Amino acid sequence: ESNLIFGYCDRLDALHKGLDLLLEGFSTFISKGGSAELWLIGDGKDRIFLENYAKSLCIADKVKFLGPLYGDEKIEKIRLFDVFVHTSRWDAAPTALLEAAALSKPLLISEETNIGNFVERYSSGIVLQKNSPIHIASAMRGFDRRYLTNTILKIGKSANLMIKREFEWTYIANRMINEVYELDQYLKE
């Protein structure tokens, strides 16, 4: 049996963050024979609703609501995730998602997180074609296969590389300096 851990870290806002979709997708994954846990870090107005929703979907024993965590405690929990999940209906680039990628965690995200193009370019996870429970369950099955065949770590390494190449400040600053410098040279000619 797999000990795969899907993890989420952000506000517990069901509509905005797509957490109803995530719970339904996880429930579908489990009902079709998947074996995993879903851990949610954070707090918010919908925590009680989501806890009750997990009970109504008969997955409460596989879903852990860890509450709000900060600093090292948050990072240590994210390190235990096998896959970082973010199924927002709309969003900017969520900070916890970038932190998880920096920790070499494969990503299962909605297109609405706005970093799907990077995730696809670096093969650092799965970007949902449609943010729906069926697509979420299917992506979870894909990660479960990769977990069981020990190919999931390679995806996490790609996520870390994505952060180093696209989101690390020193890299961005150096790229900007080089591009500005090259542009400056072009203008002097």
Side-chain angles (χ1 to χ4, degrees), residues 169-180:
W169 185 245
T170 50
Y171 177 81
I172 292 169
N174 286 331
R175 192 171 73 192
M176 190 177 96
I177 289 165
N178 289 333
E179 289 172 8
V180 169

Side-chain angles (χ1 to χ4, degrees), residues 111-148:
E111 191 63 55
E112 292 77 10
T113 58
N114 292 307
I115 68 155
N117 56 337
F118 294 106
V119 171
E120 288 172 344
R121 187 175 334 139
Y122 284 88
S123 301
S124 56
I126 295 175
V127 181
L128 298 166
Q129 290 178 354
K130 188 175 178 212
N131 196 6
S132 72
I134 288 293
H135 285 84
I136 293 166
S138 176
M140 287 179 164
R141 275 195 301 281
F143 277 118
D144 194 36
R145 281 192 295 277
R146 290 172 179 93
Y147 180 80
L148 294 170

